[in-house]
Amino acid sequence: MVTATYDGFPGAVGVSRLSVYDWPTVDDRPGGGTPHLHLTCSEGYVVTGGRGAVQTLTTAGFRETPLEPGTVAWFTPGTIHRLINEGGLEIVVVMQNSGLPEAGDAVLTFPPSLLVDQATYGDALRIPAGVPEERQVEVARARRDVATRRFLELRAATEAGDPEPLAEFQRAAAELVRPHLDDWERRWKDGAHTATTATESQVGALRDQDVRHLAEAGVAATGPTASGRFGMCGRLDVYQGI
């Protein structure tokens, strides 16, 4: 029996360290991130410092979950989420399907006029490179505020019993990511699917008293490949390849 192997980070997940933006928000919160959803990836938070909350919006309604050191919170695809920073909020983010979020598996809650096509959305999403950091902060903050205003509108409509604005956003988000689906499938097969297949193969090998895969054990370590990057919810230390 040939035993499958997978030598990537456990579970083929992505990991990053997040310092949530402390810029005051349009609804007078002390700080916060940019509301968005993921189309195929669950996301988890391990809170390591500070205080805050994650606001979520689904077809079931709005919810605010407190966050403090030691809290572990997670949510499934389709959950619009917005981090609130009440002071020094720092999180280790664990993302399903490592690589997919960077490949477009996230759509910000922009107004409908900015979701009409890839070019329009891309222009609204982009933070310019090669400019002073002050300009990048200005763009990232403006991007967040535009998305936050629409998030507040979606929340108000949902709470008023009108599901259509949220459904319209979901449809627009799905249409925006359609060109990425073949690439996503390849990434999934190379990552999460391969990791699961390896476990299946190893369980079968052990059942047959075959321990050859244990002789192939190895160790890997890495540091961040980017530090302080402007993310959707804050400044990120990013670990690529895991």
Side-chain angles (χ1 to χ4, degrees):
M1 177 179 182
V2 177
T3 307
T5 60
Y6 174 77
D7 58 6
F9 196 75
V13 300
V15 176
S16 59
R17 293 189 300 178
L18 172 67
S19 297
V20 180
Y21 292 132
D22 59 3
W23 313 318
T25 70
V26 297
D27 55 343
D28 298 321
R29 304 302 292 260
T34 308
H36 63 282
L37 60 67
H38 298 283
L39 279 295
T40 62
C41 295
S42 292
E43 182 172 0
Y45 296 151
V46 181
V47 182
T48 58
R51 293 290 189 279
V54 57
Q55 295 183 338
T56 54
L57 181 65
T58 68
T59 55
F62 173 81
R63 178 177 176 180
E64 183 166 308
T65 302
L67 300 177
E68 61 182 18
T71 298
V72 176
W74 65 95
F75 39 87
T76 56
T79 304
I80 299 176
H81 49 287
R82 176 202 184 196
L83 281 168
I84 301 296
N85 185 357
E86 296 174 352
L89 185 59
E90 296 188 352
I91 295 171
V92 173
V93 179
V94 181
M95 180 66 69
Q96 184 184 14
N97 298 320
S98 176
L100 284 191
E102 290 75 22
D105 180 48
V107 177
L108 276 59
T109 53
F110 284 153
S113 62
L114 298 179
L115 302 175
V116 292
D117 55 45
Q118 290 278 322
T120 302
Y121 178 75
D123 288 343
L125 183 69
R126 188 173 300 108
I127 295 177
V131 300
E133 183 169 303
E134 293 80 1
R135 174 57 180 160
Q136 293 180 317
V137 168
E138 180 182 349
V139 173
R141 186 168 179 173
R143 179 182 75 173
R144 181 203 65 176
D145 292 349
V146 169
T148 299
R149 290 188 183 95
R150 184 55 180 163
F151 169 78
L152 296 173
E153 293 172 354
L154 294 174
R155 173 186 171 183
T158 301
E159 292 182 327
D162 181 5
E164 181 54 28
L166 179 56
E168 178 188 29
F169 171 71
Q170 293 168 339
R171 291 192 296 268
E175 188 61 30
L176 276 176
V177 305
R178 189 181 301 276
H180 302 304
L181 297 182
D182 288 345
D183 178 50
W184 290 6
E185 185 172 14
R186 286 190 294 271
R187 290 171 182 261
W188 164 72
K189 286 181 176 178
D190 290 343
H193 182 264
T194 296
T196 301
T197 301
T199 300
E200 180 183 31
S201 175
Q202 290 159 5
V203 168
L206 292 172
R207 183 172 285 115
D208 295 337
Q209 299 182 315
D210 180 352
V211 297
R212 284 176 294 175
H213 68 280
L214 301 181
E216 300 173 359
V219 179
T222 185
T225 54
S227 297
R229 194 176 79 182
F230 287 94
M232 295 180 184
C233 294
R235 301 298 291 264
L236 286 169
D237 291 345
V238 180
Y239 296 78
Q240 300 288 0
I242 62 172

